[in-house]
């Protein structure tokens, strides 16, 4: 299978590197920032193109990693340059976290052009993309899943088929909603501990041995304490994904006050100019000595 990649940001770039390393030829790379695609191409080979149609012309499987609903509709546009132009016989693996309806619409549009699509939602981060240890949730037609299962197994340490198109996006939205709530709660716990003058190393150790323990404590606790917010999952993406979950809750007639509160925290980060920090940067809002001001102005 020849692979094309749409979106060569950190996740897309590392997926391309991983697939190249395990023997899949990378034949085409596209990004709105051509220099990003060129950097990846220098390592993986493949044509850097400004044409979406060219990617689907060259590749058997097109992996897409874009930012949001609008970007997905743009690359699968019904008019102009689009992946749909050469979609016949192609399989599209759509990895971005977007609204479930987008995946349903993309599956329909691709099918009308004689191709197939799957959602391959990633519940992991950049190192896992590079090492092929992602947790992948797959939505779409099961027969399409079986056709690309060997490729997906090279991308992941764990692979879960969850149902028809849109289902994986629903599950991913809930995963990120809960993660975002946990992150915001941990930031408040550490922020309060700091205000009380507690030893935060000790506090994190106690958290890890009690009901306050979580995966977020492991990945973000020290970063919150030491203000190390290198981006693995940005606050802007956290806001987007929590917003998707809240929209699903509204459709279901549910009120989710904790999810709503976490969403508002990430929106506050964006308003303070902190949206491109890692989600651990929510601690900038909860530590009494910080409140977002110092990092927002570039001071350390």
């Amino acid at each position: 299978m020849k692979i094309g990649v749409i979106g060569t940001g950190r996740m897309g770039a590392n997926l391309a590197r991983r697939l190249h390393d395990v023997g899949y030829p990378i034949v085409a790379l596209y990004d709105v920032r051509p220099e990003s695609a060129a950097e990846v191409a220098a390592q993986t080979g493949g044509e850097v193109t400004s044409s979406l149609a060219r990617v689907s012309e060259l590749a058997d499987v097109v992996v897409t990693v874009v930012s949001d609903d609008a970007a997905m509709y743009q690359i699968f546009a019904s008019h102009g340059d689009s992946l749909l132009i050469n979609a016949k016989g192609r399989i599209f693996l759509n990895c971005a976290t977007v609204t479930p309806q987008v995946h349903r619409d993309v599956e329909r549009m691709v099918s009308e052009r004689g191709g197939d699509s799957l959602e391959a939602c990633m519940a992991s981060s950049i190192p896992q993309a590079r090492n092929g240890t992602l947790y992948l949730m797959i939505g779409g037609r099961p027969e399409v899943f079986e056709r690309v299962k060997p490729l997906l197994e090279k991308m992941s340490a764990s692979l879960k088929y969850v149902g028809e198109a849109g289902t994986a996006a629903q599950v991913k939205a809930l995963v990120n909603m809960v993660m975002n709530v946990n992150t915001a709660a941990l930031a408040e716990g550490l922020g309060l501990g700091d205000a009380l003058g507690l030893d935060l190393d000790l506090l994190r150790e106690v958290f890890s041995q009690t009901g306050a323990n979580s995966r977020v404590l492991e990945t973000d606790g020290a970063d919150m304490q030491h203000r190390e917010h290198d981006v693995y999952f940005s606050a802007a993406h956290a806001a987007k994904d929590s917003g998707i979950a809240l929209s699903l809750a509204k459709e279901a007639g549910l009120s989710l006050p904790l999810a709503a509160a976490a969403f508002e925290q990430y929106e506050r980060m964006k308003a303070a100019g902190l949206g491109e920090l890692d989600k651990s940067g929510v601690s900038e809002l909860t530590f009494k000595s910080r409140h977002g001001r110092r990092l927002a102005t570039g001071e350390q």
Side-chain angles (χ1 to χ4, degrees), residues 149-164:
K149 189 175 181 180
L151 182 151
L152 293 168
E153 288 175 336
K154 293 295 185 181
M155 295 167 59
S156 63
S158 187
L159 186 61
K160 187 71 173 179
Y161 176 77
V162 298
E164 63 185 16

Side-chain angles (χ1 to χ4, degrees), residues 213-229:
N213 194 21
S214 68
R215 179 68 64 85
V216 169
L217 175 64
E218 177 185 342
T219 60
D220 291 6
D223 292 344
M224 290 179 179
Q225 179 180 343
H226 301 299
R227 306 186 78 182
E228 296 173 351
H229 306 309

Side-chain angles (χ1 to χ4, degrees), residues 184-200 203 207 224-225 282-291:
L186 176 62
E188 292 190 357
L190 293 177
L192 179 56
D194 183 65
L196 296 174
L198 297 176
D199 180 329
L200 295 190
L203 185 60
F207 280 0
M224 290 179 179
Q225 179 180 343
V282 71
S283 58
E284 297 302 313
L285 305 180
T286 62
F287 277 62
K288 189 175 181 180
S289 60
R290 304 177 190 177
H291 293 292

Side-chain angles (χ1 to χ4, degrees), residues 101-168:
Q101 186 59 46
V102 176
H103 286 292
R104 300 185 192 106
D105 290 343
V106 167
E107 182 184 72
R108 173 182 52 78
M109 291 186 290
V110 169
S111 180
E112 289 171 352
R113 300 295 184 101
D116 292 294
S117 72
L118 288 175
E119 52 186 320
C121 295
M122 304 178 287
S124 308
S125 192
I126 294 161
Q128 291 77 33
R130 183 66 185 88
N131 297 328
T133 55
L134 292 166
Y135 184 91
L136 288 179
M137 296 165 286
I138 309 300
R141 289 190 287 272
E143 64 272 19
V144 181
F145 169 59
E146 291 298 329
R147 285 167 57 193
V148 293
K149 189 175 181 180
L151 182 151
L152 293 168
E153 288 175 336
K154 293 295 185 181
M155 295 167 59
S156 63
S158 187
L159 186 61
K160 187 71 173 179
Y161 176 77
V162 298
E164 63 185 16
T167 309

Side-chain angles (χ1 to χ4, degrees), residues 69-112:
D69 292 6
M72 279 289 285
Y73 283 126
Q74 183 176 353
I75 64 175
F76 288 102
S78 57
H79 303 287
D81 185 37
S82 169
L83 293 173
L84 295 176
I85 292 175
N86 294 302
K88 186 175 182 179
R90 307 301 191 261
I91 297 176
F92 298 90
L93 295 179
N94 302 310
C95 298
T97 302
V98 295
T99 305
Q101 186 59 46
V102 176
H103 286 292
R104 300 185 192 106
D105 290 343
V106 167
E107 182 184 72
R108 173 182 52 78
M109 291 186 290
V110 169
S111 180
E112 289 171 352

